Amino acid sequence: MVLFRFGSVVMFWLLAALGSAQEALDITFMADYDNTEQKYMLLLPEGFHSEAQHDLLIALHGHGSDRRQFIENPRDECRGTREFAAKYGMILVSPDYRATTSWMGPAAEADLVQIIGTLKQSYKVKRVFLCGGSMGGTAALTFAAMHPELVDGVAAMNPTANLLEYEGFQDAIAESFGGTKSEIPFEYKKRSAEYWPERLTMPIGVTVSGKDDVVPPQSAMRLANVLSQLQRDVLFVYREQAGHVTSLEDARTILEFVFNRAK
């Protein structure tokens, strides 16, 4: 369908047993990928109970930001995500995923796999949703295409779906991926959702803007069209006159779509 040290498992179990929580917890964990300390924010819903099932919403920040963006920032995408998580009693997690210049490279990918695994051990997670804006929207699509078995729905705001084509932030992406696109083209292709639409079996919501000169919309538009041809659940919201931004209404719309369509 298209419509144009806290980090140990023991500590997680202790947090789960505490019950209701209103303030975000800043979690530090040791990354299996390279034995470095990494971080994410964890916000449990009002009335949280450790014996109840909860959906998990993982919010991926944009370039230049970190784990605090979706927890604290007042911009529409972030506010809409927090309100959506609260509305449905979801566990909200916002990882650094290697912080300001991630672009879902191998280390960030491994961290997110580890975080999901730990949260599933610590809580009764029913479904896992990804969302994000800009770099975070790109990363959400990338991770879902690489690990569809871990993701039940994706809301990607102003993403690119083709990192071989994309020309922005090349130094940061090369550092994250381990080389330039001319040096390791398959790494860029592997992390470009447009090349792997058959793997995107979960509901997908995408917002793009016609005047976005930071992350141009064309690759996301093509991906949405292919997903429609594959008869996948996809909601594509295009705002011709907008720039690199997703409105509160559009953020809510795609989040609701993937939530209601997910199994």
Side-chain angles (χ1 to χ4, degrees):
M1 175 185 178
V2 174
L3 305 174
F4 255 104
R5 198 144 275 154
F6 262 130
S8 70
V9 172
V10 172
M11 181 58 75
F12 279 114
W13 278 109
L14 176 59
L15 292 172
L18 291 178
S20 178
Q22 299 295 320
E23 296 184 2
L25 299 168
D26 201 10
I27 306 296
T28 299
F29 68 100
M30 189 66 68
D32 293 339
Y33 182 81
D34 57 4
N35 293 315
T36 59
E37 286 191 351
Q38 301 297 326
K39 294 177 178 291
Y40 64 89
M41 303 291 287
L42 169 70
L43 184 61
L44 299 176
E46 184 176 358
F48 172 81
H49 194 284
S50 60
E51 294 304 311
Q53 283 192 326
H54 294 270
D55 288 322
L56 170 63
L57 177 59
I58 299 174
L60 302 175
H61 63 79
H63 181 94
S65 192
D66 64 15
R67 65 193 181 280
R68 297 178 181 86
Q69 184 182 46
F70 272 88
I71 300 298
E72 300 174 356
N73 197 296
R75 63 183 293 153
D76 281 354
E77 300 99 312
C78 304
R79 174 188 164 195
T81 296
R82 292 192 298 270
E83 291 177 352
F84 175 77
K87 176 181 177 181
Y88 289 106
M90 305 174 82
I91 298 170
L92 177 60
V93 166
S94 184
D96 266 348
Y97 73 110
R98 303 294 164 137
T100 60
T101 58
S102 166
W103 292 96
M104 198 49 75
E109 175 198 353
D111 287 354
L112 192 49
V113 170
Q114 184 178 348
I115 289 168
I116 292 172
T118 299
L119 291 169
K120 285 183 173 180
Q121 291 177 17
S122 304
Y123 303 104
K124 294 184 180 297
V125 173
K126 183 179 179 183
R127 299 178 296 180
V128 177
F129 296 91
L130 298 185
C131 73
S134 189
M135 178 182 82
T138 302
L141 290 174
T142 295
F143 189 86
M146 298 185 77
H147 299 279
E149 74 284 356
L150 297 180
V151 181
D152 296 291
V154 177
M157 306 171 218
N158 302 101
T160 182
N162 191 320
L163 289 156
L164 276 172
E165 173 184 272
Y166 183 56
E167 294 296 335
F169 305 107
Q170 289 302 290
D171 289 345
I173 297 173
E175 182 179 352
S176 176
F177 287 11
T180 66
K181 63 178 70 174
S182 62
E183 293 168 339
I184 51 169
F186 184 70
E187 193 69 30
Y188 285 70
K189 181 177 181 180
K190 182 170 69 172
R191 297 179 186 281
S192 298
E194 183 177 9
Y195 292 105
W196 317 103
E198 71 280 3
R199 298 180 184 175
L200 295 172
T201 56
M202 70 294 294
I204 304 282
V206 180
T207 64
V208 298
S209 305
K211 295 186 176 180
D212 189 342
D213 58 1
V214 178
V215 184
Q218 286 78 15
S219 66
M221 296 171 72
R222 295 192 301 264
L223 175 61
N225 183 58
V226 171
L227 291 174
S228 175
Q229 293 179 36
L230 294 174
Q231 298 184 322
R232 302 291 167 73
D233 279 333
V234 54
L235 174 61
F236 182 71
V237 178
Y238 176 70
R239 300 300 181 192
E240 184 175 0
Q241 298 303 314
H244 190 58
V245 65
T246 292
S247 70
L248 180 62
E249 178 184 0
D250 289 345
R252 288 171 172 166
T253 296
I254 63 169
L255 285 163
E256 292 280 353
F257 175 83
V258 299
F259 181 86
N260 290 320
R261 295 301 182 101
K263 297 180 179 178

